[in-house]
């Protein structure tokens, strides 16, 4: 109940925590699906700057608690997306330091 309500309200990190506990108690495929969706939602919020980047470490740990083969694909996707975001931020700061773009 808490996991689904948090998910519906866009509180993906808390939804993920709840689905993680549920999945450990009962390896129901529906809990994995909820956990997977909450992971992706939480990651999107991190990329958008609406969730602290520090929570990524906890997200990846909860993902690794799962024995589903999709975990490795998700982890690779997170890694690639993180590298792209870091590169974009570096380019933005480079041009901002040159006075060529407004970062506000």
């Amino acid at each position: 109940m808490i996991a689904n309500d948090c998910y519906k309200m866009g509180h993906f990190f808390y939804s993920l925590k709840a689905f993680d506990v549920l999945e450990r108690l009962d390896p129901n495929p529906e809990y994995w699906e909820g956990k997977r969706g909450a992971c992706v939602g939480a990651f999107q919020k991190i990329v958008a700057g609406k969730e602290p980047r520090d929570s990524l470490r906890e997200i990846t740990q909860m993902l690794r608690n799962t024995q589903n083969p999709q975990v490795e694909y998700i982890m690779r996707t997170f890694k690639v997306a993180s590298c792209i975001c870091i590169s974009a931020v570096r380019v933005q700061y480079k041009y901002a330091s040159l006075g060529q773009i407004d970062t506000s």
Side-chain angles (χ1 to χ4, degrees), residues 5-78:
D5 287 348
C6 287
Y7 191 96
K8 288 175 189 173
M9 294 176 61
H11 301 295
F12 299 112
F13 185 72
Y14 296 106
S15 175
L16 170 60
K17 286 182 161 215
F19 277 121
D20 184 52
V21 171
L22 289 170
E23 186 187 41
R24 281 188 271 145
L25 294 172
D26 177 16
N28 184 328
E30 288 183 21
Y31 296 148
W32 160 246
E33 291 173 14
K35 184 175 178 176
R36 180 184 61 197
C39 280
V40 172
F43 184 73
Q44 287 177 331
K45 284 199 159 206
I46 291 169
V47 170
K50 296 180 180 180
E51 184 77 40
R53 278 191 270 166
D54 296 343
S55 53
L56 186 57
R57 181 169 288 133
E58 199 169 346
I59 291 169
T60 56
Q61 186 59 48
M62 284 185 272
L63 263 177
R64 290 179 188 190
N65 289 339
T66 303
Q67 298 302 316
N68 192 297
Q70 293 177 350
V71 168
E72 289 307 313
Y73 174 75
I74 295 170
M75 297 293 284
R76 280 194 308 262
T77 304
F78 282 3

